């Protein structure tokens, strides 16, 4: 150990001389030799001490600090135990804090430390560590590494059930970034541009990151059962080439898309997704789902009991299978969506109808029918008025005098147009007959 101390002392003198002379390469070499000596001797405490000493020396060159941090980072995985590893990471973290020229190294160190904390079961501490780093401001970091880092932040927040922060962090990633063609991006930076580092080994590709992103967003939307957003996430996963080219994956994702379209509340976005999915040729692989979606798209009353008998096994299989995405509330929500569909169908065909008949069509009691109808009116999915003493529902909206007059004007215009066309046709036929008689 004494021999190591004397060697370090002599190298420190060399480093000091080179630093004072402003010799960058000699300063770097002396500093790296000290770090290498400590590593060879497996003197981890001395290594930590020397890293701090070298980085804090007066007028230390930034190139030397970069070299020290980068070389010491290579030794992290060679440490004998977790405690030593954490100590070395913390030392390097202290050295790189506040230094913009080693911000990428600091981000990687924090990620390593967070992973160790997670393995030890300290999820909250790992999430807090990751949140300290704002990688979106790092100009020199590779795009894929930035996205991977932010996704790791989102995942840790979801693991600790911090959904608000998970949503805030997820907004740092624009979904459009996954659709950029990597081959069309500029390869050679122009003079004056920031030099962007290559992503390290182990960082997933952009398409792999796209899948991870949408899987995390599905986890986020699952906590409040936002079926429409989950459907859109699965739709984005479905469009990934690797998923479309694998028949097993493609069918599995398409099944989920179908279920979430049905479970989503009726609105223009849901209708658009429903119609686009029905046009998908791959839906022929799961013919029973095509039939189900066709039923939902058709404005006809669906009998809940017969539908549940036909699809209960499929539903339970989807919910219980490994990685099943249907929650405990899904069965109730499915029944609710079918009732809402039936009410919309009734409102399309009737302007006024008795509550008793509505209850019969919906296969519900009067109280349940009234409750579902009222809920839809409150959520503005439907316009209706219930006359409870008379037991009549009116689906017509009250029109003001201007609307009534406008409708009359339109109707009169249509009638006059029809009269004009009829007169023209009569005149035409008369002329044809006159010509025929003359001949």
């Amino acid at each position: 150990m004494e021999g190591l101390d004397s060697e370090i002392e002599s190298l420190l003198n060399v480093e000091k001389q080179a630093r004072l002379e402003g010799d960058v390469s000699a300063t770097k070499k002396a500093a790296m030799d000290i770090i290498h000596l400590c590593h060879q001797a497996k003197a981890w405490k001395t290594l930590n001490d020397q890293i701090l000493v070298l980085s804090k020396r007066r007028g230390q060159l930034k190139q030397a600090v970069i070299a020290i941090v980068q070389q010491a980072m290579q030794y992290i995985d060679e440490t004998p135990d977790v405690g030593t590893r954490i100590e070395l990471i913390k030392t390097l973290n202290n050295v790189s804090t506040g230094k913009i020229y080693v911000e990428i190294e600091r981000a990687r160190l924090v990620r390593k430390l967070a992973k160790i904390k997670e393995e030890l079961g300290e999820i909250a501490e790992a999430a807090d560590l990751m949140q300290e780093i704002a990688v979106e401001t790092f100009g020199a970091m590779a795009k894929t590494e930035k996205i991977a880092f932010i996704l790791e932040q989102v995942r840790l927040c979801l693991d600790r059930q911090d959904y608000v922060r998970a949503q805030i962090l997820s907004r740092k990633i624009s979904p459009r970034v996954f659709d950029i063609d990597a081959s069309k991006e500029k390869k050679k930076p122009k003079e004056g541009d920031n030099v962007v580092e290559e992503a390290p080994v182990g960082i997933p590709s952009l398409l792999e990151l796209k899948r991870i992103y949408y899987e995390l967003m599905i986890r986020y939307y699952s906590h409040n059962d936002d079926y429409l957003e989950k459907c859109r996430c699965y739709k984005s996963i479905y469009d990934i080439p690797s998923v479309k080219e694998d028949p097993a994956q493609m069918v599995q994702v398409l099944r989920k898309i179908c279920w979430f379209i049905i479970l989503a509340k009726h609105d223009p976005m849901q209708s658009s997704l429903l119609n686009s999915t029905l046009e998908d040729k791959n839906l022929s692989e799961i013919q029973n789902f095509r039939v189900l979606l066709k039923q939902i798209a058709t404005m006809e009353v669906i009998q809940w009991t017969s539908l549940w008998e036909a699809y209960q096994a499929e539903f339970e299989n989807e919910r219980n299978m490994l990685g099943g995405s249907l929650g405990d509330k899904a069965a109730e929500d499915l029944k609710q969506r079918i009732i809402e569909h039936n009410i919309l169908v009734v409102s399309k065909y009737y302007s006024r109808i008795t509550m008793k008949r509505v209850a019969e069509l919906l296969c519900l009691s009067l109280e349940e029918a009234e409750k579902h109808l009222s809920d839809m009116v409150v959520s503005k999915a439907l316009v209706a008025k219930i006359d409870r003493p008379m037991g009549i529902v009116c689906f017509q909206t009250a029109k003001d005098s201007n609307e009534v007059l406008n409708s009359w004007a339109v109707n009169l215009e249509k009638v006059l147009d029809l009269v004009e066309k009829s007169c023209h046709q009569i005149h035409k036929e008369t002329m044809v007959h006159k010509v025929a008689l003359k001949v």
Side-chain angles (χ1 to χ4, degrees), residues 189-337:
K190 293 176 184 175
E191 195 175 340
D193 283 357
N194 289 331
V195 177
V196 178
E197 287 192 11
E198 289 292 321
V201 178
I203 297 294
S205 68
L206 203 58
L207 284 173
E208 288 168 342
L209 288 169
K210 180 179 181 178
R211 180 158 192 166
I212 295 165
Y213 169 77
Y214 283 110
E215 282 172 352
L216 288 172
M217 293 315 294
I218 287 162
R219 278 183 64 189
Y220 168 73
Y221 290 121
S222 294
H223 91 279
N224 59 353
D225 292 323
D226 192 337
Y227 298 119
L228 185 62
E229 289 300 331
K230 284 170 79 174
C231 177
R232 292 176 71 186
C233 290
Y234 276 116
K235 196 84 171 168
S236 298
I237 292 172
Y238 178 72
D239 291 332
I240 297 171
S242 60
V243 174
K244 276 205 166 178
E245 287 161 14
D246 182 354
Q249 279 193 70
M250 182 268 292
V251 168
Q252 192 179 359
V253 175
L254 193 54
R255 283 164 60 95
K256 286 177 167 55
I257 290 168
C258 293
W259 278 124
F260 289 121
I261 286 173
I262 296 160
L263 286 164
K265 288 187 177 182
H266 180 81
D267 68 7
M269 178 61 76
Q270 188 261 359
S271 299
S272 175
L273 283 168
L274 176 59
N275 292 323
S276 64
T277 307
L278 272 169
E279 289 168 9
D280 194 332
K281 291 176 182 177
N282 292 327
L283 203 59
S284 57
E285 300 286 326
I286 42 174
Q287 195 61 39
N288 54 340
F289 279 91
R290 178 188 281 280
V291 173
L292 180 57
L293 289 183
K294 198 76 180 169
Q295 272 186 286
I296 299 295
T298 309
M299 291 309 284
E300 290 180 7
V301 171
I302 299 169
Q303 292 293 328
W304 163 249
T305 48
S306 58
L307 182 133
W308 185 240
E309 281 171 16
Y311 291 95
Q312 185 178 5
E314 284 277 8
F315 187 86
E316 294 298 335
N317 180 43
E318 183 66 41
R319 191 164 63 175
N320 299 329
M321 70 189 291
L322 186 67
S325 48
L326 296 174
D328 298 329
K329 253 179 96 256
E332 293 173 28
D333 289 336
L334 180 62
K335 187 176 181 180
Q336 178 78 10
R337 294 295 93 81

Side-chain angles (χ1 to χ4, degrees), residues 90-153:
K90 283 184 175 178
T91 302
L92 290 168
N93 200 3
N94 288 340
V95 168
S96 56
T97 301
K99 296 180 177 70
I100 199 166
Y101 47 86
V102 282
E103 61 184 4
I104 294 175
E105 284 76 11
R106 181 166 181 254
R108 290 170 185 168
L109 286 164
V110 168
R111 192 171 179 184
K112 278 179 182 287
L113 185 56
K115 192 175 181 183
I116 294 167
K117 293 286 183 186
E118 189 182 0
E119 286 167 0
L120 295 171
E122 299 170 10
I123 303 291
E125 200 171 327
D128 289 337
L129 277 167
M130 289 290 281
Q131 282 158 36
E132 289 174 11
I133 311 295
V135 288
E136 65 276 10
T137 63
F138 295 2
M141 185 181 269
K143 181 170 69 177
T144 50
E145 191 178 357
K146 275 186 197 178
I147 295 168
F149 195 95
I150 295 167
L151 290 177
E152 195 69 10
Q153 291 175 323

